[in-house]
Structure formats: C-alpha cells, structure tokens
Amino acid sequence: MTEHPAASKMRSNLRRHASAGKIHQVRSNVTNGGESLVDSLHHHVDEHTALLHRAFQNSDGKPLYEDERPWVRWPMNFAYTAWQTLTSNPVNILLVFVPLGIIAGAIHWNPSVVFCLNFLAIIPLASLLSFATEELSVKLGQTLGGLLNATFGNAVELIVSIVALKNGEIRIVQASMLGSILSNILLVLGCCFLAGGIKHKEQRFNSTVASTMSSLMAVSTASLIIPATLYAAMGHSKPTDLKKDNILILSHGTAVILLILYALYLFFQLKTHANLFDEESEPEAGEDGGAEGGESEGHILSPWAAGVALVIITVMVAVCAEYLVDSIDSIVESAHISRTFIGLILLPIVGNAAEHVTAVVVATKNKMDLAIGVAIGSSMQIALLVTPFLVILGWIMHEPMSLQFEIFETVVFFLAVLVTNYLISDGKSNYLEGAMLIGMYIIIALAFYVYPDDAAGNANSLWDMISQH
C-alpha cells in the first residue's frame, strides 16, 4: 500500500528515478574511461537490444505481437507483455517460490518450510501487485488513480490481516498493523535519510506536507493510547467482559472517525490543497529530459490486462497468506518466537520490501519528497485506513478486533511517532538522523524479540494495581 493516496504519480516517479539512477551510475563510472569505453558500452547495449527485439519480430522486421495473423499476434502479445511485466523489478526472480509455497502448504510439509517458502513468495507478488496497480491507475487519472492506489497500496498487509482475522488471530493482526507503521517511519525513513545523507551533506523536503502527515499520525497515535488507558483506568470497577465490550464500542466509533479523517485527507490532497503536493512534482517531471519523462508513464498493460492481473495476483497472495498464517502456530512452538515478533517484525517485511528498496534509491537521487511520501504516507494509510477498516470488518465478522493494543506496544508506537515528528519538523535530513531512526527500530525489534506473548496479562495486572492506589 509503497503508499500515499496520489501514488499513481509517485509510483511512476519512483520507477523513473530508480531507472535513471542506473544510467547515471554508468555515466559516472565511465567518465574517466575515455570515449572508447563509452562506445563499447553503447555497442554492447545496442547489440543486446537488437537480439531481444529480433526474438519478437518476423522476417519483415515487424513485431510478432503486431502481426496480422491472430494465431501469431495473440500468443506473442501475451508473451511479450508477460516478459515486460516479469522484468519490471529484479525482486520478481523470487516468483519461483510461489508454486513451491503453495505445493508445500497443500501437501502439508514441515510448517517451518511452509512459512519460509510462502514468506518469500509473497514478496514478488507484492511487487507485481504494485506494478499492476500503477499500470491501471495511469489510465484512470490522478483522482481515481489515487483512490485505486489507496485501496491496493497496502493490499498484501490487508490480505494477510484479513486471513488472520478470519482465523481469530487478533494479536497477529494488531502486531502486523503496528509493525507496518514502525517499519515505514523508522526503518524505511531511516534508510532513506542515511543513504541520501551519505551522498548529500544535507537534503531538504516539503516540510508542510510532512507536517500534515505527521499530524495525522499523531491523531492515530491518540486513537490507540485512549483505549489502552481507558481499559487500565476502569480497573476492577467493572467485570472484564463488560470492560471489553466498552472498549469495542469505543474502538468502533473511533474507527469510523479515523476513516472520515482519511477521506477528508484525500479531498485535502487531491482537490482543495493539491498545489502543496504537486509543487515538488512539477520540476521533477522536466528534470531528466523528455526521453525519460516519456517512459515514466506505464503503458505496458492495458486496463483490462491490469485488472485481470490484479485479480489473479490478489488470489495468489490470499492463498500464500492462508498457508503462511496457518503455519504461525507451529513456528511459535518450534522456533520459540512470539506471535508479536512475527506480526510486528517479520510480516511487515513481506509487503514492503520492493517499495522500500526503491524509496532508498530515490533518496540517493535527492528526491526526498518522494521518499517521504512512501515512508510516512504508507504509515498514514495503515493507521487511518487499513487498521480502522479491519476493526469495522471484525465488527461485521463478530471478531473482537479493537484498537486496544497492549500497553508496551502503545508506548513504543507513541515514542516512534514522537521521534519521527521531531526529525522531520525542520524539513531537512542528514545521515545522522537516519542512523537514529534505524537504531531505534533495531532497539524495538530486540525488545519485541524477547517480549513474550503472555506479558500482556502481566502488564494489565500492573496497571490494575496502580489504578487501585
């Protein structure tokens, strides 16, 4: 979900700048190598391109996917489109784990093997889901494209959480949502600051946009703190079941309000204050020249093909997620890893790996507004859209999904948002700030690694004792 409501434009820019980074790296490497090295490189690229195109051409030099014979055109068009789609991201090489993961889950292999294979399988599926969403959103325009990306941008996390919610794994769902937010605002943003700061002494970004996003993140933090403190404040004044019912009522109402706030943010970004979000994009469009700008728009998949790809990939993600979640119990018992650590640290890696790498590449290109949009924008979507939606879905499914996170998790979330807001408030970044964010994420990961699942009850008992005095 890379992320951000106007992600159709941002995702295209991410791909363009990631590709441009490779070109500039080659140029810098051959600067001192003389014209002969440059000519040799161009000759090699031209020869490779000619061989690739020749495989898709007939004897007249016309592409086979444009051949007049339908029995030639349709299969070759499918093969050519599939090739371009599969080569859109290097991480797609991990697609070999998709059939392996499904087979392993279907014939009941060792749960640890099933977990690892499906864990690796979902990473390239998330990349393809992002690619197909971008291709479709280009044809729909900025507004509808932004809404589409808001829906599918965090689809992997959403699918995994829905499967876990269906199985009654409330702790996995809550930890996965919190982990996705922490991964984006600490690990990804920290890597962007660090990688960009090493290459550039100081980088600047749109502080107004970042401040708006961070303010909404602060509101979402309050929506988690209030239920946790209310549960503790009730103490023994009411039976436990009645307290949980009250928390559910509060969570349902809060979820509706958060969804309304997210809708208002979409209207704020796409309509009334669009100039704030577009002012950094306009110079970027003409910065790299017409050739690169023309290739930045996705034109590989037709709207129908992109729609079919979205459906197929979503189904495959759901199947892999089903096997992944079903194997968690065995992983917890055999590897002695808590459910909280799996949901908070491991699962967020699945849906965000491909986009995280691209965000770091963009940061090294000094395009910090795009990097901020990926990191904080994706976190904001999880906090204001995905988590409230899961609370409402749990309400419909009669599952006790609430916004009452554990005390320790709530405190960690508050501190992470607080530190992030401080670091982005001035609109500038450097490598030291990136190291701070990464260091804090590692500390949190270590804390949750040693954090047992039964610690929640002990924490609540402590709060009950404090409230009595």
Side-chain angles (χ1 to χ4, degrees):
M1 303 145 242
T2 294
E3 312 41 7
H4 197 269
S8 56
K9 179 185 296 184
M10 184 182 66
R11 288 175 185 265
S12 298
N13 287 337
L14 286 173
R15 289 174 58 204
R16 185 186 74 231
H17 291 303
S19 301
K22 298 178 182 178
I23 296 173
H24 291 307
Q25 183 180 3
V26 171
R27 287 175 179 170
S28 62
N29 288 340
V30 303
T31 299
N32 298 322
E35 293 296 328
S36 59
L37 181 58
V38 176
D39 294 338
S40 176
L41 179 60
H42 282 301
H43 176 73
H44 174 74
V45 171
D46 293 339
E47 182 181 0
H48 179 75
T49 304
L51 290 173
L52 183 61
H53 281 286
R54 197 174 302 139
F56 291 98
Q57 291 178 353
N58 56 24
S59 57
D60 298 329
K62 187 176 182 179
L64 290 176
Y65 51 85
E66 295 179 1
D67 196 278
E68 296 178 356
R69 296 166 294 179
W71 61 88
V72 175
R73 182 175 67 253
W74 285 99
M76 293 308 300
N77 182 62
F78 176 80
Y80 184 71
T81 303
W83 171 258
Q84 287 188 305
T85 301
L86 294 176
T87 56
S88 62
N89 195 315
V91 78
N92 291 339
I93 195 174
L94 296 177
L95 284 171
V96 296
F97 291 104
V98 174
L100 290 177
I102 294 176
I103 293 173
I107 63 178
H108 306 291
W109 284 5
N110 183 283
S112 299
V113 176
V114 173
F115 180 87
C116 294
L117 290 177
N118 285 282
F119 182 89
L120 294 173
I122 293 179
I123 294 176
L125 289 176
S127 172
L128 289 178
L129 192 66
S130 172
F131 176 80
T133 304
E134 177 191 349
E135 292 290 301
L136 185 58
S137 63
V138 166
K139 280 78 175 179
L140 297 178
Q142 180 180 352
T143 303
L144 291 178
L147 293 175
L148 181 69
N149 278 282
T151 304
F152 286 95
N154 290 303
V156 173
E157 294 94 328
L158 184 60
I159 293 172
V160 172
S161 297
I162 290 175
V163 172
L165 185 63
K166 178 178 66 72
N167 295 344
E169 296 278 3
I170 306 297
R171 292 294 304 130
I172 293 293
V173 177
Q174 291 181 327
S176 177
M177 293 298 98
L178 182 61
S180 295
I181 297 173
L182 294 177
S183 173
N184 278 289
I185 65 176
L186 294 180
L187 181 61
V188 180
L189 190 61
C191 289
C192 289
F193 284 0
L194 181 63
I198 292 176
K199 188 173 181 180
H200 309 275
K201 184 176 182 180
E202 185 177 81
Q203 295 177 290
R204 296 180 180 271
F205 48 87
N206 191 329
S207 59
T208 303
V209 173
S211 177
T212 302
M213 292 182 180
S214 60
S215 298
L216 288 170
M217 286 298 301
V219 173
S220 67
T221 305
S223 70
L224 300 187
I225 294 177
I226 292 174
T229 52
L230 176 63
Y231 186 87
M234 282 193 263
H236 294 287
S237 61
K238 295 182 178 180
T240 302
D241 291 340
L242 186 57
K243 286 196 297 182
K244 291 182 177 179
D245 291 340
N246 291 339
I247 293 298
L248 283 176
I249 294 174
L250 172 63
S251 298
H252 295 159
T254 303
V256 172
I257 294 173
L258 291 178
L259 290 174
I260 293 174
L261 286 176
Y262 185 76
L264 289 175
Y265 173 72
L266 285 179
F267 187 73
F268 178 87
Q269 182 188 34
L270 300 177
K271 289 293 184 182
T272 60
H273 292 71
N275 61 302
L276 294 178
F277 297 84
D278 293 338
E279 64 181 9
E280 296 294 334
S281 301
E282 294 177 358
E284 290 166 9
E287 224 171 62
D288 298 322
E292 292 179 21
E295 295 175 359
S296 65
E297 297 296 331
H299 293 289
I300 296 177
L301 300 179
S302 65
W304 280 104
V308 172
L310 281 177
V311 173
I312 295 175
I313 297 169
T314 301
V315 171
M316 297 182 72
V317 169
V319 173
C320 292
E322 182 77 35
Y323 290 131
L324 182 75
V325 173
D326 288 343
S327 63
I328 287 179
D329 288 338
S330 299
I331 286 289
V332 170
E333 295 177 2
S334 61
H336 305 290
I337 300 176
S338 68
R339 285 180 174 81
T340 305
F341 181 80
I342 292 176
L344 196 136
I345 303 298
L346 297 183
L347 293 185
I349 298 175
V350 171
N352 300 321
E355 267 180 351
H356 290 181
V357 173
T358 309
V360 174
V361 173
V362 169
T364 60
K365 294 286 298 173
N366 203 25
K367 306 297 180 181
M368 291 305 297
D369 287 284
L370 296 177
I372 293 289
V374 172
I376 301 182
S378 181
S379 299
M380 192 182 61
Q381 279 190 352
I382 294 288
L384 296 179
L385 177 64
V386 179
T387 303
F389 171 78
L390 289 172
V391 172
I392 300 298
L393 184 62
W395 189 8
I396 297 172
M397 298 169 61
H398 304 289
E399 292 288 347
M401 173 66 187
S402 70
L403 293 175
Q404 184 215 343
F405 286 60
E406 304 301 337
I407 298 297
F408 179 65
E409 298 169 2
T410 306
V411 172
V412 166
F413 183 38
F414 170 76
L415 293 176
V417 173
L418 182 67
V419 170
T420 304
N421 287 356
Y422 271 129
L423 293 181
I424 67 175
S425 60
D426 59 352
K428 297 181 289 185
S429 66
N430 54 63
Y431 72 89
L432 181 59
E433 292 180 348
M436 293 178 191
L437 292 174
I438 296 174
M440 185 170 183
Y441 183 79
I442 295 175
I443 292 173
I444 291 174
L446 289 174
F448 278 106
Y449 181 76
V450 299
Y451 181 79
D453 286 326
D454 59 358
N458 298 332
N460 290 331
S461 300
L462 177 61
W463 275 91
D464 290 341
M465 293 174 57
I466 295 175
S467 61
Q468 287 180 345
H469 295 287

